[in-house]
Amino acid sequence: MVFSNDTLRKSLVTSLVAVAFVAFVGASAQAEPGKAFSGERLRDLRTAMSEHCFACHDNDLKKGGVNLEASLADLTGPDPSENTELWSNVIKMVKFGEMPPAKKPRPSKAEQAAILNGADSVLIAQGGDSLLHALNTDPHYANYVDHDELFNGQHKGPAYTPSRLWFKQSDYANTGTVNGPTLDNLLKFFNVRIAEQVDGVLVQGKLSAADAKKMKERDALAKTIKKIENSVKRAAELQKLPAKIEPPYVLSKYHKPYNDFAKADGVPNVAECAEVLHGAFIEVLRRPPRDDAELNKYATLLREKAGAIGRGRALKVVLLAIHLKPEVFYRMELGAGRALPDGRRALTPMELYYALCHAMGVPPVQDTGVPPRGGRGKPDNLPPLNQALLLAVYENRLNNAQDVRTILKPYVGQRLKYTHRGGGYYFGDTRAMVGPRQKIVDFIRQYFGYADAEDNFKDGSPNRPKELIEDADRFVNLILDDDKDVLKRLLTDNTYAFNPHKHIGFVSTSRPRFEQHRRHYGVDIKELRAGKLDSRIEQLDLGGKRPTELMFITFKNHAGLLTHPVWNFAHSKNDETDPIIRGKWIREKLLAGTVREIPIQVDAKVSNDHTKTLRERFEITKESYCWSCHKKMNPLGMPFEAYNELGQFRSSDSRAKKPIDTTGRIDGTGEPGVDGEVRDAVELAHRLAKSTRVRQSFIRHAFRYWLGRNEMLSDSPTLIAADKAYVDSGGSMSELVLALVTSDSFLYRK
């Protein structure tokens, strides 16, 4: 559930409460995206702009060709012009702190809100969408929530997540089927229009004589209905899972076979209808009816339709209604549990079960087909954590933060087994990302972005990014095994682990993989064999069938993942380095900073004169118009010029035939010993690893991953508590994850 692009490709999250968008605030706690334009907003917008904007952008100066005074007057004219680009830029410049200029007086919170809300209302009035909503909810803009306000304790909550739906990767979505029959056939067969559906209940019950005849004559449709009937019959097996406890309901006690119900004479009473439908809820929705009212609603519908069109046909119609309930298509996170006085509602145990399954990387029962799916419906076939969570639901032991911690604690810190495969050693199936540890590895992969190396084509000879990614995964997993000072070690450890027989080339120095590692890591095989390098070989028990032999080599010109070949390979162009990509990543991911998008009118070009180093060619970016953004990136990215586009360490530019200048600068943390000049990337990494702001930024990104959304100011208590849990545990990633999934932000909806 990490809130990253990779996570969002898997699930579509839709907010149910429009006003919840107001909570996603960035520069101002009063900014309200989506509100209609009004005379009051126009007045507030004019007042704030008169104070902070007209000095440069009025009818007289029109600095930069922008006349905000005339544009405001035009809004109330007889034929207002449409200028969405102007007002979009106003919102971005003010929200991102680019305007007013640094030397000018800053607008107050109320003035800032007046400009943002007013400009956003103009966009909507001119037929556009709310830009504030996009900026506040898009992961790309998450850093614009004020970092200091999130961690200074001034916001007391209460923390919650807006009620939401997750579109399932269900049978309907993937193949158009659910338990066998196609959706199109179901709709045609039952003559149902989804548009008329309200909670899956309002269905069209009258069938023509022709349709009734087709029901009997068409064998394919008869088989379709049979599949529905059989799928619901399988619900009788639910009491077998979990086998060690007695669920609060016993299907076999009151589940009546559908064919018996359909063949019986007369109009059924409501109790008889309720009895036969109870199993459908469990099979289709993976839950019993929430209460008697929900069950009786469908039972009453079945009784009415049975009197009008017969038992069998009525049963088929109501079964379809259950198949078309929204929760078949969406995973609910509405907070249907207990209500709190402040308006928040807890997730029900089943809502919490699904949320935790996705957060912990284990497929819930609806995705595994268990329970029940024939022989696969045995408890032993469920992943252990899934089984533990499901047992807790049935035993009413999944109701609060302590329940969640008790169940998850044994699983979150589990190590991955190190297995032998194809001549090498690998940590588990890290690519499948199934399970709590794999989710943590996946988060670190996404956060540092090193797995993108596989998609970054490079010109030239043997470049094998998959092997570099495996090296980085091994580096990450060995740190996670210790689970202490995780972020610090990810940024500073300079000892990398290799399989000595496969990676360093003890067997054959002509193998492509050896050539790659010689080039990427600068390993001199002769010095290595002669014992002149800082290296050692260890036999480790990593959970495999036999001890694992690893070679550890310490590199003096490296520090953590930022100087690892794979990170620099991923964060560069295909034929040369890019300090902008590298510097922007550090500014946004480690320093919780922001860099404005390149203005559309900027034609960004750097000289191709390769007699100059890249730093010399980037001198053009120091022009005043460019430097306002590039000063946030260049000083952070230039130290990594010591690593070329393949991630190889170098001391000189081979094309310019000049030494590499690796100096740079950190600013923006406000922390003594962190901000200031650095001599190279290694010093930069060690300085960043000491920073409180860097650690807090890491916490923010972890929040987005495990909560599946951007942070809000009301999440401040959650973030502060997660940061404290991480620090108090000595930098434990497991404790950080537990703090997040037991937080009010995870457990409550509003």
Side-chain angles (χ1 to χ4, degrees), residues 6 14 131 165-166 243 278 284 364 438 481 509 546 550 565 592 634 637 645 692 730:
D6 185 68
T14 307
L131 181 58
L165 302 175
W166 294 86
H278 195 288
V284 177
Q438 288 94 328
D481 280 350
T509 58
R546 54 192 175 189
L550 291 178
N634 292 23
E645 69 275 11
T692 297

Side-chain angles (χ1 to χ4, degrees), residues 37 101 321 356 386 393 401 436 464 480 523 550 641-642 653 677 744:
F37 195 61
L356 288 171
N386 191 324
V393 172
R464 300 160 66 91
L480 291 176
V523 176
L550 291 178
E641 279 298 282
D653 187 321
E677 304 291 333
D744 282 4

Side-chain angles (χ1 to χ4, degrees), residues 111-129:
E111 291 171 326
Q112 195 176 44
I115 296 173
L116 293 175
N117 291 330
D120 199 54
S121 298
V122 173
L123 288 179
I124 296 171
Q126 294 183 348
D129 296 324

Side-chain angles (χ1 to χ4, degrees), residues 4 203-204 260 320 343 401 404 541 592 639 643 667 670 703 706 736 740:
S4 64
V203 297
Q204 184 174 340
D260 289 348
L320 177 66
V404 174
D541 181 6
Y643 309 92
D667 60 62
F703 176 98
W706 272 278
L736 171 57
L740 290 173

Side-chain angles (χ1 to χ4, degrees), residues 77-91:
D79 186 24
S81 58
E82 189 173 305
N83 198 344
T84 56
E85 182 180 354
L86 169 67
W87 294 109
S88 294
N89 285 332
V90 167
I91 291 174

